[in-house]
Every structure is written in structure tokens, then in C-alpha cells.
PDB file of all heavy atoms in Angstrom:
ATOM      1  N   VAL A   1     101.711  89.066 114.956  1.00 95.00           N
ATOM      2  CA  VAL A   1     103.129  89.453 115.085  1.00 95.00           C
ATOM      3  C   VAL A   1     103.933  89.151 113.754  1.00 95.00           C
ATOM      4  O   VAL A   1     104.727  89.945 113.488  1.00 95.00           O
ATOM      5  CB  VAL A   1     103.842  88.552 116.266  1.00 95.00           C
ATOM      6  CG1 VAL A   1     105.313  88.768 116.233  1.00 95.00           C
ATOM      7  CG2 VAL A   1     103.206  88.944 117.613  1.00 95.00           C
ATOM      8  N   LEU A   2     103.548  88.098 113.096  1.00 96.00           N
ATOM      9  CA  LEU A   2     104.221  87.785 111.858  1.00 96.00           C
ATOM     10  C   LEU A   2     103.896  88.896 110.770  1.00 96.00           C
ATOM     11  O   LEU A   2     104.881  89.345 110.032  1.00 96.00           O
ATOM     12  CB  LEU A   2     103.775  86.390 111.268  1.00 96.00           C
ATOM     13  CG  LEU A   2     104.317  86.052 109.842  1.00 96.00           C
ATOM     14  CD1 LEU A   2     105.876  86.078 109.894  1.00 96.00           C
ATOM     15  CD2 LEU A   2     103.710  84.633 109.385  1.00 96.00           C
ATOM     16  N   GLY A   3     102.695  89.298 110.746  1.00 97.00           N
ATOM     17  CA  GLY A   3     102.373  90.380 109.871  1.00 97.00           C
ATOM     18  C   GLY A   3     103.111  91.632 110.107  1.00 97.00           C
ATOM     19  O   GLY A   3     103.572  92.332 109.151  1.00 97.00           O
ATOM     20  N   GLU A   4     103.369  92.061 111.376  1.00 98.00           N
ATOM     21  CA  GLU A   4     104.100  93.168 111.691  1.00 98.00           C
ATOM     22  C   GLU A   4     105.500  93.008 111.276  1.00 98.00           C
ATOM     23  O   GLU A   4     106.087  93.979 110.720  1.00 98.00           O
ATOM     24  CB  GLU A   4     104.048  93.380 113.240  1.00 98.00           C
ATOM     25  CG  GLU A   4     102.690  93.791 113.777  1.00 98.00           C
ATOM     26  CD  GLU A   4     102.622  93.820 115.276  1.00 98.00           C
ATOM     27  OE1 GLU A   4     103.673  93.660 115.930  1.00 98.00           O
ATOM     28  OE2 GLU A   4     101.487  94.073 115.819  1.00 98.00           O
ATOM     29  N   ILE A   5     106.078  91.901 111.413  1.00 97.00           N
ATOM     30  CA  ILE A   5     107.469  91.642 111.007  1.00 97.00           C
ATOM     31  C   ILE A   5     107.630  91.753 109.481  1.00 97.00           C
ATOM     32  O   ILE A   5     108.522  92.386 108.882  1.00 97.00           O
ATOM     33  CB  ILE A   5     107.959  90.250 111.406  1.00 97.00           C
ATOM     34  CG1 ILE A   5     108.076  90.180 112.925  1.00 97.00           C
ATOM     35  CG2 ILE A   5     109.270  89.921 110.707  1.00 97.00           C
ATOM     36  CD1 ILE A   5     108.341  88.773 113.535  1.00 97.00           C
ATOM     37  N   LEU A   6     106.587  91.178 108.718  1.00 98.00           N
ATOM     38  CA  LEU A   6     106.694  91.167 107.279  1.00 98.00           C
ATOM     39  C   LEU A   6     106.496  92.576 106.685  1.00 98.00           C
ATOM     40  O   LEU A   6     107.153  93.026 105.752  1.00 98.00           O
ATOM     41  CB  LEU A   6     105.618  90.241 106.684  1.00 98.00           C
ATOM     42  CG  LEU A   6     105.693  88.796 107.048  1.00 98.00           C
ATOM     43  CD1 LEU A   6     104.562  87.973 106.453  1.00 98.00           C
ATOM     44  CD2 LEU A   6     107.066  88.217 106.619  1.00 98.00           C
ATOM     45  N   LYS A   7     105.568  93.334 107.373  1.00 98.00           N
ATOM     46  CA  LYS A   7     105.297  94.757 106.843  1.00 98.00           C
ATOM     47  C   LYS A   7     106.606  95.595 107.140  1.00 98.00           C
ATOM     48  O   LYS A   7     106.941  96.401 106.283  1.00 98.00           O
ATOM     49  CB  LYS A   7     104.137  95.380 107.639  1.00 98.00           C
ATOM     50  CG  LYS A   7     103.748  96.703 107.205  1.00 98.00           C
ATOM     51  CD  LYS A   7     102.513  97.224 107.944  1.00 98.00           C
ATOM     52  CE  LYS A   7     102.137  98.542 107.486  1.00 98.00           C
ATOM     53  NZ  LYS A   7     100.839  99.051 108.140  1.00 98.00           N
ATOM     54  N   GLU A   8     107.228  95.449 108.318  1.00 98.00           N
ATOM     55  CA  GLU A   8     108.448  96.300 108.531  1.00 98.00           C
ATOM     56  C   GLU A   8     109.512  95.891 107.574  1.00 98.00           C
ATOM     57  O   GLU A   8     110.332  96.775 107.173  1.00 98.00           O
ATOM     58  CB  GLU A   8     108.830  96.031 109.996  1.00 98.00           C
ATOM     59  CG  GLU A   8     110.103  96.889 110.329  1.00 98.00           C
ATOM     60  CD  GLU A   8     110.418  96.672 111.905  1.00 98.00           C
ATOM     61  OE1 GLU A   8     109.790  95.907 112.509  1.00 98.00           O
ATOM     62  OE2 GLU A   8     111.522  97.310 112.252  1.00 98.00           O
ATOM     63  N   ASP A   9     109.616  94.653 107.268  1.00 97.00           N
ATOM     64  CA  ASP A   9     110.838  94.128 106.456  1.00 97.00           C
ATOM     65  C   ASP A   9     110.641  94.490 104.970  1.00 97.00           C
ATOM     66  O   ASP A   9     111.567  94.803 104.257  1.00 97.00           O
ATOM     67  CB  ASP A   9     110.906  92.626 106.526  1.00 97.00           C
ATOM     68  CG  ASP A   9     112.157  92.037 105.853  1.00 97.00           C
ATOM     69  OD1 ASP A   9     113.268  92.540 106.095  1.00 97.00           O
ATOM     70  OD2 ASP A   9     111.925  91.172 105.005  1.00 97.00           O
ATOM     71  N   ASN A  10     109.374  94.423 104.458  1.00 97.00           N
ATOM     72  CA  ASN A  10     109.061  94.725 103.063  1.00 97.00           C
ATOM     73  C   ASN A  10     107.672  95.402 102.937  1.00 97.00           C
ATOM     74  O   ASN A  10     106.689  94.796 102.579  1.00 97.00           O
ATOM     75  CB  ASN A  10     109.082  93.398 102.270  1.00 97.00           C
ATOM     76  CG  ASN A  10     109.062  93.588 100.788  1.00 97.00           C
ATOM     77  OD1 ASN A  10     108.626  94.603 100.276  1.00 97.00           O
ATOM     78  ND2 ASN A  10     109.573  92.553 100.026  1.00 97.00           N
ATOM     79  N   PRO A  11     107.610  96.758 103.129  1.00 98.00           N
ATOM     80  CA  PRO A  11     106.334  97.436 103.113  1.00 98.00           C
ATOM     81  C   PRO A  11     105.621  97.362 101.772  1.00 98.00           C
ATOM     82  O   PRO A  11     104.391  97.153 101.852  1.00 98.00           O
ATOM     83  CB  PRO A  11     106.716  98.854 103.482  1.00 98.00           C
ATOM     84  CG  PRO A  11     108.007  98.814 104.160  1.00 98.00           C
ATOM     85  CD  PRO A  11     108.758  97.633 103.576  1.00 98.00           C
ATOM     86  N   SER A  12     106.361  97.491 100.671  1.00 97.00           N
ATOM     87  CA  SER A  12     105.697  97.499  99.352  1.00 97.00           C
ATOM     88  C   SER A  12     105.157  96.116  99.038  1.00 97.00           C
ATOM     89  O   SER A  12     104.022  95.944  98.567  1.00 97.00           O
ATOM     90  CB  SER A  12     106.649  97.962  98.263  1.00 97.00           C
ATOM     91  OG  SER A  12     107.813  97.096  98.155  1.00 97.00           O
ATOM     92  N   GLY A  13     106.043  95.105  99.272  1.00 98.00           N
ATOM     93  CA  GLY A  13     105.519  93.675  99.069  1.00 98.00           C
ATOM     94  C   GLY A  13     104.302  93.345  99.982  1.00 98.00           C
ATOM     95  O   GLY A  13     103.390  92.666  99.487  1.00 98.00           O
ATOM     96  N   PHE A  14     104.249  93.805 101.144  1.00 98.00           N
ATOM     97  CA  PHE A  14     103.189  93.580 102.151  1.00 98.00           C
ATOM     98  C   PHE A  14     101.936  94.271 101.520  1.00 98.00           C
ATOM     99  O   PHE A  14     100.929  93.451 101.610  1.00 98.00           O
ATOM    100  CB  PHE A  14     103.563  94.069 103.468  1.00 98.00           C
ATOM    101  CG  PHE A  14     102.551  93.911 104.579  1.00 98.00           C
ATOM    102  CD1 PHE A  14     102.635  92.746 105.300  1.00 98.00           C
ATOM    103  CD2 PHE A  14     101.593  94.770 104.843  1.00 98.00           C
ATOM    104  CE1 PHE A  14     101.661  92.501 106.262  1.00 98.00           C
ATOM    105  CE2 PHE A  14     100.607  94.546 105.853  1.00 98.00           C
ATOM    106  CZ  PHE A  14     100.660  93.399 106.512  1.00 98.00           C
ATOM    107  N   GLU A  15     102.053  95.424 101.157  1.00 98.00           N
ATOM    108  CA  GLU A  15     100.855  96.050 100.606  1.00 98.00           C
ATOM    109  C   GLU A  15     100.300  95.380  99.371  1.00 98.00           C
ATOM    110  O   GLU A  15      99.129  95.201  99.176  1.00 98.00           O
ATOM    111  CB  GLU A  15     101.240  97.591 100.248  1.00 98.00           C
ATOM    112  CG  GLU A  15      99.961  98.392  99.894  1.00 98.00           C
ATOM    113  CD  GLU A  15      98.934  98.387 100.890  1.00 98.00           C
ATOM    114  OE1 GLU A  15      99.230  98.352 102.224  1.00 98.00           O
ATOM    115  OE2 GLU A  15      97.719  98.642 100.552  1.00 98.00           O
ATOM    116  N   ARG A  16     101.221  94.909  98.470  1.00 98.00           N
ATOM    117  CA  ARG A  16     100.840  94.230  97.263  1.00 98.00           C
ATOM    118  C   ARG A  16     100.180  92.933  97.626  1.00 98.00           C
ATOM    119  O   ARG A  16      99.078  92.595  97.068  1.00 98.00           O
ATOM    120  CB  ARG A  16     102.048  93.980  96.397  1.00 98.00           C
ATOM    121  CG  ARG A  16     101.749  93.049  95.274  1.00 98.00           C
ATOM    122  CD  ARG A  16     102.919  92.912  94.292  1.00 98.00           C
ATOM    123  NE  ARG A  16     103.285  94.208  93.681  1.00 98.00           N
ATOM    124  CZ  ARG A  16     104.248  94.361  92.704  1.00 98.00           C
ATOM    125  NH1 ARG A  16     104.912  93.294  92.408  1.00 98.00           N
ATOM    126  NH2 ARG A  16     104.587  95.466  92.190  1.00 98.00           N
ATOM    127  N   ALA A  17     100.618  92.171  98.711  1.00 98.00           N
ATOM    128  CA  ALA A  17      99.976  90.990  99.201  1.00 98.00           C
ATOM    129  C   ALA A  17      98.624  91.272  99.663  1.00 98.00           C
ATOM    130  O   ALA A  17      97.580  90.580  99.381  1.00 98.00           O
ATOM    131  CB  ALA A  17     100.815  90.311 100.243  1.00 98.00           C
ATOM    132  N   LEU A  18      98.454  92.370 100.522  1.00 98.00           N
ATOM    133  CA  LEU A  18      97.161  92.726 101.048  1.00 98.00           C
ATOM    134  C   LEU A  18      96.121  92.997  99.975  1.00 98.00           C
ATOM    135  O   LEU A  18      94.945  92.664 100.135  1.00 98.00           O
ATOM    136  CB  LEU A  18      97.313  93.937 101.885  1.00 98.00           C
ATOM    137  CG  LEU A  18      97.642  93.828 103.435  1.00 98.00           C
ATOM    138  CD1 LEU A  18      97.681  95.242 103.999  1.00 98.00           C
ATOM    139  CD2 LEU A  18      96.647  92.942 104.144  1.00 98.00           C
ATOM    140  N   GLN A  19      96.542  93.608  98.907  1.00 98.00           N
ATOM    141  CA  GLN A  19      95.613  94.031  97.880  1.00 98.00           C
ATOM    142  C   GLN A  19      95.307  92.855  96.847  1.00 98.00           C
ATOM    143  O   GLN A  19      94.399  93.010  95.977  1.00 98.00           O
ATOM    144  CB  GLN A  19      96.123  95.198  97.046  1.00 98.00           C
ATOM    145  CG  GLN A  19      96.342  96.505  97.958  1.00 98.00           C
ATOM    146  CD  GLN A  19      95.130  96.873  98.628  1.00 98.00           C
ATOM    147  OE1 GLN A  19      93.995  96.853  98.021  1.00 98.00           O
ATOM    148  NE2 GLN A  19      95.215  97.303  99.835  1.00 98.00           N
ATOM    149  N   ALA A  20      96.091  91.778  96.918  1.00 98.00           N
ATOM    150  CA  ALA A  20      95.846  90.741  95.908  1.00 98.00           C
ATOM    151  C   ALA A  20      94.481  90.035  96.164  1.00 98.00           C
ATOM    152  O   ALA A  20      94.132  89.896  97.275  1.00 98.00           O
ATOM    153  CB  ALA A  20      96.990  89.682  96.059  1.00 98.00           C
ATOM    154  N   PRO A  21      93.784  89.700  95.095  1.00 98.00           N
ATOM    155  CA  PRO A  21      92.520  89.062  95.333  1.00 98.00           C
ATOM    156  C   PRO A  21      92.432  87.609  95.834  1.00 98.00           C
ATOM    157  O   PRO A  21      91.550  87.183  96.456  1.00 98.00           O
ATOM    158  CB  PRO A  21      91.803  89.188  93.903  1.00 98.00           C
ATOM    159  CG  PRO A  21      93.002  89.350  92.953  1.00 98.00           C
ATOM    160  CD  PRO A  21      94.066  89.951  93.686  1.00 98.00           C
ATOM    161  N   HIS A  22      93.555  86.950  95.472  1.00 98.00           N
ATOM    162  CA  HIS A  22      93.579  85.493  95.746  1.00 98.00           C
ATOM    163  C   HIS A  22      94.865  85.175  96.529  1.00 98.00           C
ATOM    164  O   HIS A  22      95.873  85.793  96.480  1.00 98.00           O
ATOM    165  CB  HIS A  22      93.670  84.667  94.445  1.00 98.00           C
ATOM    166  CG  HIS A  22      92.522  84.969  93.486  1.00 98.00           C
ATOM    167  ND1 HIS A  22      92.713  85.295  92.174  1.00 98.00           N
ATOM    168  CD2 HIS A  22      91.177  85.186  93.676  1.00 98.00           C
ATOM    169  CE1 HIS A  22      91.568  85.608  91.485  1.00 98.00           C
ATOM    170  NE2 HIS A  22      90.603  85.579  92.439  1.00 98.00           N
ATOM    171  N   VAL A  23      94.758  83.984  97.244  1.00 98.00           N
ATOM    172  CA  VAL A  23      95.903  83.396  97.940  1.00 98.00           C
ATOM    173  C   VAL A  23      95.887  81.912  97.613  1.00 98.00           C
ATOM    174  O   VAL A  23      94.908  81.281  97.770  1.00 98.00           O
ATOM    175  CB  VAL A  23      95.787  83.620  99.444  1.00 98.00           C
ATOM    176  CG1 VAL A  23      97.095  83.192 100.103  1.00 98.00           C
ATOM    177  CG2 VAL A  23      95.610  85.072  99.755  1.00 98.00           C
ATOM    178  N   LEU A  24      97.013  81.410  97.354  1.00 98.00           N
ATOM    179  CA  LEU A  24      97.128  79.954  97.139  1.00 98.00           C
ATOM    180  C   LEU A  24      98.102  79.437  98.308  1.00 98.00           C
ATOM    181  O   LEU A  24      99.190  80.010  98.549  1.00 98.00           O
ATOM    182  CB  LEU A  24      97.850  79.575  95.790  1.00 98.00           C
ATOM    183  CG  LEU A  24      97.040  79.997  94.608  1.00 98.00           C
ATOM    184  CD1 LEU A  24      97.897  79.652  93.273  1.00 98.00           C
ATOM    185  CD2 LEU A  24      95.647  79.399  94.520  1.00 98.00           C
TER     186      LEU A  24
END
């Protein structure tokens, strides 16, 4: 559910996060 909210609110940022190699 959180992912759906984030994607709807900021599609370009969501896609950038998905493609990032690392997460801290």
C-alpha cells in the first residue's frame, strides 16, 4: 500500500528509487 501511495504521489522519484542499486 505504501508503495502505491508513493508511486502515485511522485512517479519519477519512485522510478528513480526502484532503479537505484543501493539502499541505506
Side-chain angles (χ1 to χ4, degrees):
V1 174
L2 176 60
E4 292 174 6
I5 292 170
L6 299 179
K7 183 177 182 179
E8 181 177 356
D9 186 56
N10 189 337
S12 63
F14 183 87
E15 186 61 28
R16 177 174 290 185
L18 271 183
Q19 298 304 320
H22 308 129
V23 187
L24 302 178

